[in-house]
């Protein structure tokens, strides 16, 4: 089953290959959460960004797909999606 260590290994690869994206992961809390379908970033207390990953989904991915998943979630952070979503009335549509 996926572990925080597995996610950290991919994060380290990202930091070495693409430092811009990898730096976002350095202080970001990471959690395994079977209640979500895939992966997501969310705000804790309105200011701390947390990465959550479904461990079964994580395990279904090959290593390069795991890398892409982490990078995808970081792009939500880099593009400030968590902070501007409140400006949109239809949250499910915005998420798409």
């Amino acid at each position: 089953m996926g572990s925080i260590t597995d996610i950290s290994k991919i994060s380290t690869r990202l930091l070495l290959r693409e430092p811009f994206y990898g730096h976002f992961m350095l202080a970001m809390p990471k959690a395994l959460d079977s209640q979500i379908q895939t992966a997501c970033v969310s705000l804790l207390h309105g200011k701390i960004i947390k990465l959550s990953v479904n461990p079964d989904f994580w395990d279904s991915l090959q290593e390069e797909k795991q890398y892409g998943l982490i990078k995808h979630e970081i792009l939500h952070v880099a593009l400030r999606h968590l902070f501007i979503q409140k400006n949109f009335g239809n949250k499910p549509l915005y998420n798409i």
Side-chain angles (χ1 to χ4, degrees):
M1 183 179 249
S3 71
I4 297 300
T5 302
D6 296 335
I7 295 168
S8 293
K9 286 178 185 175
I10 297 295
S11 299
T12 300
R13 270 188 48 214
L14 188 64
L15 182 61
L16 294 171
R17 281 187 185 176
E18 301 179 74
F20 173 80
Y21 297 104
H23 280 280
F24 283 96
M25 293 295 294
L26 290 177
M28 188 182 301
K30 300 158 192 71
L32 299 175
D33 187 347
S34 297
Q35 301 301 309
I36 60 172
Q37 285 187 315
T38 57
C40 68
V41 286
S42 58
L43 283 175
L44 297 174
H45 312 295
K47 57 185 174 183
I48 299 170
I49 299 169
K50 173 184 166 187
L51 170 71
S52 299
V53 177
N54 179 304
D56 295 326
F57 178 71
W58 180 263
D59 287 342
S60 74
L61 301 174
Q62 294 178 346
E63 194 170 306
E64 285 305 308
K65 297 287 184 181
Q66 291 171 339
Y67 182 95
L69 174 71
I70 296 297
K71 187 173 175 183
H72 172 92
E73 293 304 324
I74 290 171
L75 281 167
H76 287 301
V77 177
L79 297 173
R80 302 188 48 78
H81 290 165
L82 296 172
F83 301 100
I84 62 172
Q85 70 181 355
K86 64 181 176 256
N87 299 328
F88 295 86
N90 189 333
K91 303 290 188 254
L93 183 60
Y94 174 78
N95 191 42
I96 294 169

